[in-house]
Amino acid sequence: MTRDGPDRPREKLIAAKTAWAEERRAIAGRSGPADARRPPGQDIVSDWPVLDLGVRPLIDLRDWRMTVAGAIERPLTWRWADLMAAPQVDSVSDIHCVTGWSRLDNSWQGVATRHLARLVRPRSTAKHVVLHGYDGYTTNMTVEDFLRPDALLAHGWNGAPLPRDHGGPLRLVAPSRYFWKSAKWVRHVVFLEKDSPGFWEARGYHPTGDPWREQRYR
Ligand SMILES: Nc1nc2c(c(=O)[nH]1)N[C@H]1C(S)=C(S)[C@@H](COP(=O)(O)O)O[C@H]1N2
Ligand SMILES: [Mo]
């Protein structure tokens, strides 16, 4: 792609978001008091902002695949019917975005990451997970965080198909971490023995990203 080609707006957006992250880093810590539902420095919103790199892949369910690979006993490729045949969960959780907004009581439908782990059987040496989106986005987290009981691969929101803008047909929802860890348009899940920073983690975001400890930037 040339510098004037179609990737130009995406580069600009990434540059703007990175600069913005630098700025926030300087003021991090000056945030208001937390309460039981609101981590430090967060404001509750009722709308649901769309945040990504500006590429929102359109994936036909007939072509959709999700692979799970790496340090596991049983690598797996799912088609849509496999996802739907797996045990389904319905779970309500809060979104905390590193940009400072939180959205409470989101209702998700999908498959628990713990169920996936039972199928693929991570080796005892597997300590990290990297998620890859159909848009090329990546994010990393520990196996422990990926397998928390409230984490799921979500295809539904409020009982309807998850909208494409928000990562449909399938995204991760990992409520214990800032929302950048919840990869949209999930395509590959890779278990690793060693950590490997994802897209934002390589650009200064915190490797763990716990909103309750305000781990925004490294
Ligand atoms: N595939 C993919 N997943 C992604 C992103 C992205 O650019 N691509 N952005 C992350 C960021 S920075 C945020 S804040 C949330 C936003 O999700 P939302 O648009 O549903 O609010 O998605 C995360 N997951
Ligand atoms: Mo974000």
Side-chain angles (χ1 to χ4, degrees):
M1 230 45 92
T2 68
R3 290 194 62 81
D4 298 322
D7 270 358
R8 192 73 183 125
R10 188 164 179 266
E11 284 173 27
K12 274 192 177 169
L13 179 71
I14 291 167
K17 282 188 92 169
T18 306
W20 184 90
E22 300 286 341
E23 235 168 77
R24 287 287 297 200
R25 197 196 318 244
I27 61 165
R30 277 212 269 125
S31 31
D35 59 45
R37 296 295 296 280
R38 196 164 51 85
Q42 297 296 108
D43 293 313
I44 308 293
V45 299
S46 52
D47 59 338
W48 186 7
V50 171
L51 289 167
D52 51 47
L53 303 177
V55 182
R56 300 191 182 127
L58 176 60
I59 306 144
D60 192 307
L61 294 187
R62 286 168 299 191
D63 303 329
W64 181 89
R65 298 287 184 279
M66 183 186 74
T67 65
V68 187
I72 56 178
E73 298 297 337
R74 297 177 180 240
L76 158 161
T77 301
W78 264 0
R79 292 169 175 256
W80 193 253
D82 302 314
L83 173 74
M84 300 314 278
Q88 303 289 311
V89 297
D90 215 299
S91 95
V92 173
S93 60
D94 300 341
I95 296 171
H96 305 298
C97 177
V98 71
T99 60
W101 57 269
S102 292
R103 189 175 195 284
L104 306 183
D105 296 325
N106 303 276
S107 159
W108 307 104
Q109 294 77 43
V111 173
T113 53
R114 286 192 168 195
H115 174 73
L116 195 67
R118 279 192 289 274
L119 298 180
V120 302
R121 301 217 236 118
R123 300 208 181 107
S124 59
T125 51
K127 301 294 179 214
H128 303 272
V129 174
V130 174
L131 293 120
H132 298 249
Y134 273 89
D135 60 343
Y137 182 81
T138 55
T139 187
N140 61 305
M141 68 187 66
T142 61
V143 168
E144 189 185 356
D145 284 350
F146 181 69
L147 296 183
R148 286 186 193 279
D150 57 358
L152 74 157
L153 291 160
H155 56 73
W157 178 71
N158 282 344
L162 178 67
R164 172 181 166 196
D165 282 358
H166 288 297
L170 188 78
R171 79 175 299 160
L172 179 71
V173 174
S176 72
R177 297 297 173 244
Y178 283 121
F179 209 35
W180 88 76
K181 300 278 190 188
S182 289
K184 310 205 279 194
W185 312 293
V186 170
R187 181 182 199 171
H188 304 301
V189 180
V190 184
F191 286 78
L192 297 170
E193 298 179 354
K194 293 207 170 83
D195 202 5
S196 170
F199 184 88
W200 286 119
E201 291 84 1
R203 288 165 177 78
Y205 282 38
H206 198 281
T208 307
D210 180 350
W212 296 98
R213 288 185 285 166
E214 213 176 350
Q215 294 171 331
R216 297 179 197 271
Y217 311 109
R218 211 185 325 106

